[in-house]
Amino acid sequence: MTALRPTPAGSTSIAVLANALSVDPPAGPDTVVSGVTLDSRSVQSGDLYAALPGATTHGARFASGARDAGATAILTDPVGAQLVAEQGVVLPVLVHPEPRAVLGHLSALVYGTDRLKMPLIGITGTNGKTTTAYLIHSALVALGRQVGLIGTVETRIGDERVRSVRTTPEAPDLHALLATMAQRGMDACVMEVSSHALSQHRVDGVIYDLALFTNLSQDHLDFHHDMEDYFAAKASLFTPARSQSGLVCVDDDWGLRLAGQSEIPIDTLTTQPGGLADWTVTVDPHDPHRFVLRGRGDELHLVSALPGAFNVTNTAMAAAALLLLGVDGAAAQRAVLADPHVPGRMERVVVDDGRDDLPAVVVDYAHTPDAIRAALEALRPVTAGTLVCVTGAGGDRDRDKRAAMGRAAALADVVIVTDDNPRSEDPGSIREAVLRGARAETGGGTVLEVGDRREAIARAVAIAAGVEPGGDAPGATALVAIMGKGHETGQEIGGEVHPFDDRAEALSALEAAATQLGEASA
């Protein structure tokens, strides 16, 4: 994604930036910068180029290219400063021992986001970030607000949409986005905040008006040393340097711990019967989608637009967030009832003609053991026939969760283990780890291995539709849950990203099954 930037650009002198870093300004006449980037390919005229040390090379090696593209100054470390000098690049150089650690704060100065008046809502947690962000966004839009959104799926500025490269942008891009949103009159911005972003200083210089914590379970242990390190990254959002107030779901032990140690004012929320919190959820015993949210004198009667107990939690978090942001209770209740479309989160795939002899198909981003288990537990009550789960695990990521993902998938009647994004790993070895978990857990269910994801989806739909043996599939009462990739439109194999969309493949499989069923009845 090419970073969106405010126009016209402002200007900040190098002397001001040097003073912010508590370092001597570069020798020579003062100059100004109007933007910041850490990607030499994205340099625009007037930019401060952040030449950072990387895993394979140093950004300072591209200093001459940045200069030629119009950079007017460079931020780097002592090693980078030497590399810049060796290239004969004559530009003001700000030298700091940890340039990444100060990049966010410098970006805030350059883009003026240190004086941002637009309310910011940041959401972190293992599962539920995207759904909760969309719920808050759609509610604020329903209230007539102009709202920005930054997250895993996309970036939105009002009606403009740009596909996201990562959950949370790099610091210069993030501050440029926030400045652009403010310039275009956004009333608020809702964004997902990943643990990577918190650990890698991507949200430095941003102060959230309200930070939300959804939950914590195993994920990203390829990046974090252990669960303690993972938790510490999430908890850092709930400090005065990053947020003014917080809303923490205390349904798990991590949430309870965070609420007890937070350095900022915290509201707590629980969905557990008899649980103690500032906000409590009481689910209708006759309809698991309906619930009452009570807290701070408000009582909201709400309905989750998406299936599953976890989406009741997401909806409750969104509603409580609105109230904490000052939205009137009655208005918040109406706004949260707006039916949101959350790409790749419990997303139904249907054939246009709406025929009733085909299985239901749901595509979900669930890619952790807890998320897969919660999704299948939500879908089981609405599945009278065979429940088929298609799942796999990503390569070059947390290997320890793969067998646990298979065990969670074994809640289905039929588990088809396939490829997710193998990346640089051998796909067969990834599948084997998932299969091992599924076979160890399954209680008489069927576990199949179909490496090709397109074929796996087609076979799952065929089994659920009863056009292929393997499941007691009474037509539309069966359900296929395709887990792992959700909204993604590519599959990374061996360093190359191939076009692939689970939703499109599911639709093709449903159409093929419809044709087969039609031929069989002819």
Side-chain angles (χ1 to χ4, degrees), residues 390-391 415-419 431 435 448-460 463 468:
V390 179
T391 192
V415 179
I416 300 181
V417 177
T418 188
D419 293 341
R431 293 197 302 272
L435 284 163
L448 305 173
E449 179 181 10
V450 182
D452 182 270
R453 193 171 181 90
R454 179 174 289 109
E455 182 184 344
I457 292 171
R459 190 163 180 191
I463 290 171
E468 177 178 325

Side-chain angles (χ1 to χ4, degrees), residues 428-513:
S429 65
I430 300 173
R431 293 197 302 272
E432 177 56 35
V434 180
L435 284 163
R436 187 165 57 250
R439 287 169 176 158
E441 190 73 17
T442 186
T446 302
V447 179
L448 305 173
E449 179 181 10
V450 182
D452 182 270
R453 193 171 181 90
R454 179 174 289 109
E455 182 184 344
I457 292 171
R459 190 163 180 191
V461 171
I463 290 171
V467 297
E468 177 178 325
D472 179 17
T477 60
L479 188 146
V480 178
I482 305 171
M483 305 289 185
K485 293 175 60 60
H487 64 280
E488 293 179 358
T489 56
Q491 184 178 29
E492 187 175 347
I493 305 172
E496 184 176 353
V497 178
H498 303 267
F500 196 96
D501 188 325
D502 281 354
R503 296 161 296 186
E505 297 302 329
L507 182 59
S508 294
L510 283 169
E511 291 171 342

Side-chain angles (χ1 to χ4, degrees), residues 304-443:
S304 171
L306 301 167
F310 59 95
N311 279 316
V312 167
T313 306
N314 294 335
T315 305
M317 290 287 285
L322 292 176
L323 294 171
L324 290 172
L325 291 167
V327 176
D328 172 74
Q333 179 172 287
R334 290 193 302 271
V336 173
L337 293 177
D339 189 4
H341 172 68
V342 187
R345 272 65 176 176
M346 287 293 189
E347 185 172 356
R348 291 288 299 269
V349 179
V350 295
V351 176
D352 287 341
D353 61 12
R355 53 189 296 167
D356 60 6
D357 60 343
L358 293 172
V361 178
V362 172
V363 172
D364 194 77
Y365 192 55
H367 59 280
T368 68
D370 279 6
I372 293 172
R373 184 176 297 105
L376 292 176
E377 287 175 346
L379 294 171
R380 172 62 77 185
V382 297
T383 309
T386 301
L387 176 58
V388 184
C389 177
V390 179
T391 192
D396 302 329
R397 298 294 186 270
D398 185 356
R399 300 186 182 201
D400 291 339
K401 72 177 182 178
R402 294 172 184 173
M405 291 171 67
R407 290 193 294 271
L411 291 172
D413 302 305
V414 178
V415 179
I416 300 181
V417 177
T418 188
D419 293 341
D420 189 292
N421 291 309
R423 299 184 176 90
S424 70
E425 284 194 63
D426 171 50
S429 65
I430 300 173
R431 293 197 302 272
E432 177 56 35
V434 180
L435 284 163
R436 187 165 57 250
R439 287 169 176 158
E441 190 73 17
T442 186

